[in-house]
Amino acid sequence: MVNLLDVLKKEVVPAEGCTEPIAVAYAVSLAAELVQEEITSIQLFLSGNIIKNAMGVGIPGTGQNGLPIAAALGAVIHRSHKKLEILSGLSQAELSKANEIIDRKLLEVELKNTPEKLYIEARVHSESHTATAIIAKEHTHVIFLAKDGIALDLPKDKADCEGSEELDPEVYAVSLDGIFEFVRTVDFSSLQFLLEGAVMNKAISDEGLRGDYGLQVGKKMLQQSAVNLFGNDVANKVIAATAAASDARMDGSAMPVMTTAGSGNQGIACTLPVIELARLMNKDEETLARALALSNLITVHVKHYIGRLSPLCGSGIAGGVGANSGIIYLMGGSLEQIKHGIQNTIASLSGMICDGAKSTCALKISTATNAAIQAATLAMNNISPTDRDGVIFEEVEDTIRNMERLVQEGLAATDTTILNIMLSKGEVM
């Protein structure tokens, strides 16, 4: 029997910076720690999805974007034990050393021909040694370590990963009914760790509203001016708070976020609408914790079918569906109304593509949050599409599974096309 509490604890973890370039830094750090000498070159072999999601995003504490600085930092920061928080405590001296690696052109990046969507192979060379680290399937799942061509045993803490693959067959067989029952009946004390994540994500949202990050999507929505068409109502406050967190994160804020299913933006998208609405509705901590458990678990559930990395926007679609479910829970909705909300949200967002991690993610997340609120409003009035409508089936689980079919059959070449468009801009790696 699936322990959904274990799923939450595996899939909801903190990270500093966008998880794809941070995972690259982690892989490089693992290899650099093995050579223990001055580095003469670094080779990266990356899946297309990793390149797509690491090219344009801000790297915390650097004022720089993309793969080169993330990889170079991994080479000088020997803190692989911190995994996705490897850049926390970054010093100016470390940043200077990383930029020296870039200036000396010691880094090479190649596209890896692999069916694996999430694949990072880092080879670090010194005068006397070569070390290799390979991460696959999930952002901290180390599948191979070697020094001078000799494979090394993987320590348990490196072989493990958040959301272990071994859970998949059982976890994703859990129905929405089972998730809802768990959320209603689990002891509140078991969910209190989610409130720590709420504090973390609210903090970066507040930072995004204060600062001039990225496109300032959230900040400008709340800024009263003659050119602002948005009002000051509950919906816009929720959308702005959510978008602002992504503004800050994608522009390189050093503040950590609580991720969901391997993505900080997914964590933002599925939790901040719930956090902000709970605040505006004066909900107690237990209600918030249960709503967050629901939004996170449903995001994980939907994300399984979309894929860990995908041509579809996981933050928009999976995160939007999760947020919608949490919103309905806060409004006192029933399981049937939550199912209506999922149908409404998928009907609205199912075509949203992922064109990498960058500042415009805040735009997509704001769109998804708006759709989640709209879908929740319809659901609370017992309105949802029927099986006559597009990709929607009568049973909500079938509708969710259609996202997998859409990715595998309909969008098989989309990732390649998106990456080629992005690479056509010139030197981006």
Side-chain angles (χ1 to χ4, degrees):
M1 182 175 178
V2 176
N3 185 332
L4 288 174
L5 186 59
D6 284 348
V7 175
L8 278 174
K9 289 182 177 179
K10 285 179 177 290
E11 296 281 17
V12 181
V13 297
E16 185 174 316
C18 179
T19 45
E20 278 72 56
I22 300 307
V24 170
Y26 173 52
V28 174
S29 182
L30 287 168
E33 289 169 358
L34 292 173
V35 299
Q36 295 181 327
E37 291 180 347
E38 183 179 352
I39 291 169
T40 56
S41 67
I42 303 166
Q43 294 174 292
L44 291 177
F45 302 89
L46 308 174
S47 60
N49 285 80
I50 291 292
I51 294 174
K52 182 181 77 171
N53 281 358
M55 279 168 45
V57 68
I59 306 303
T62 69
Q64 296 168 247
N65 291 355
L67 275 167
I69 189 61
L73 283 170
V76 301
I77 298 175
H78 295 175
R79 296 193 288 268
S80 67
H81 63 280
K82 289 193 171 184
K83 298 186 177 181
L84 296 183
E85 294 181 281
I86 189 172
L87 297 191
S88 62
L90 175 66
S91 69
Q92 189 59 45
E94 289 168 333
L95 179 58
S96 296
K97 288 181 181 179
N99 277 309
E100 285 178 16
I101 288 174
I102 295 172
D103 293 342
R104 292 167 59 197
K105 301 187 185 303
L106 302 184
L107 175 67
E108 296 179 13
V109 181
E110 293 185 27
L111 177 64
K112 178 75 172 183
N113 183 16
T114 172
E116 191 62 61
K117 296 290 186 182
L118 196 165
Y119 182 92
I120 301 166
E121 180 176 342
R123 298 180 191 171
V124 175
H125 304 270
S126 69
E127 192 68 35
S128 308
H129 301 289
T130 296
T132 302
I134 300 177
I135 291 172
K137 297 187 183 297
E138 306 197 20
H139 296 82
T140 59
H141 188 198
V142 183
I143 64 168
F144 181 77
L145 287 175
K147 182 175 180 180
D148 298 330
I150 300 173
L152 306 176
D153 291 335
L154 297 178
K156 188 176 187 303
D157 70 313
K158 291 181 172 60
D160 286 347
C161 61
E162 81 284 352
S164 173
E165 289 293 303
E166 285 79 6
L167 287 173
D168 282 1
E170 294 181 338
V171 166
Y172 300 108
V174 174
S175 66
L176 293 170
D177 299 53
I179 292 173
F180 186 71
E181 181 64 18
F182 165 80
V183 167
R184 284 196 321 109
T185 59
V186 67
D187 189 81
F188 168 48
S189 63
S190 300
L191 300 178
Q192 286 184 307
F193 75 97
L194 295 174
L195 298 176
E196 298 171 14
V199 171
M200 187 180 293
N201 288 359
K202 181 66 166 64
I204 196 170
S205 171
D206 291 343
E207 175 67 11
L209 291 172
R210 282 191 300 267
D212 296 334
Y213 291 96
L215 301 180
Q216 302 177 52
V217 179
K219 183 176 183 177
K220 294 306 179 186
M221 282 186 67
L222 290 185
Q223 201 169 70
Q224 296 305 303
S225 69
V227 296
N228 187 2
L229 300 178
F230 293 98
N232 198 30
D233 58 23
V234 169
N236 287 328
K237 288 178 180 177
V238 170
I239 296 167
T242 307
S246 183
D247 282 324
R249 183 170 181 271
M250 291 294 95
D251 201 31
S253 168
M255 298 180 73
V257 299
M258 192 62 80
T259 70
T260 302
S263 165
N265 269 343
Q266 273 165 200
I268 286 168
C270 80
T271 65
L272 264 164
V274 179
I275 294 163
E276 185 65 10
L277 183 59
R279 184 184 72 82
L280 293 169
M281 295 177 69
N282 293 313
K283 294 294 184 179
D284 60 44
E285 287 191 339
E286 180 173 350
T287 303
L288 172 58
R290 294 188 188 281
L292 288 172
L294 181 67
S295 64
N296 276 292
L297 285 170
I298 288 183
T299 299
V300 170
H301 187 62
V302 175
K303 184 64 177 173
H304 168 69
Y305 295 101
I306 292 176
R308 204 72 169 184
L309 295 179
S310 170
L312 289 179
C313 178
S315 301
I317 300 171
V321 169
N324 166 264
S325 301
I327 288 168
I328 294 173
Y329 186 91
L330 289 177
M331 296 172 71
S334 65
L335 174 60
E336 194 61 29
Q337 287 168 323
I338 288 169
K339 291 180 179 179
H340 288 335
I342 293 172
Q343 299 276 46
N344 292 334
T345 309
I346 290 177
S348 181
L349 297 172
S350 58
M352 185 181 283
I353 64 164
C354 171
D355 57 339
K358 67 287 181 224
S359 291
T360 55
C361 287
L363 286 171
K364 295 190 179 188
I365 287 174
S366 67
T367 298
T369 306
N370 180 73
I373 293 169
Q374 181 187 64
T377 302
L378 293 176
M380 291 301 291
N381 285 280
N382 300 309
I383 296 171
S384 72
T386 70
D387 60 5
R388 297 188 300 275
D389 298 314
V391 298
I392 306 301
F393 276 31
E394 181 176 356
E395 294 296 327
V396 67
E397 294 285 1
D398 292 332
T399 298
I400 293 171
R401 279 191 285 270
N402 286 340
M403 294 302 95
E404 181 176 42
R405 185 175 176 186
L406 181 61
V407 169
Q408 293 184 352
E409 296 179 26
L411 300 176
T414 303
D415 263 332
T416 300
T417 302
I418 292 170
L419 182 60
N420 287 339
I421 290 171
M422 294 169 71
L423 293 174
S424 71
K425 298 176 184 180
E427 184 60 48
V428 291
M429 295 191 296

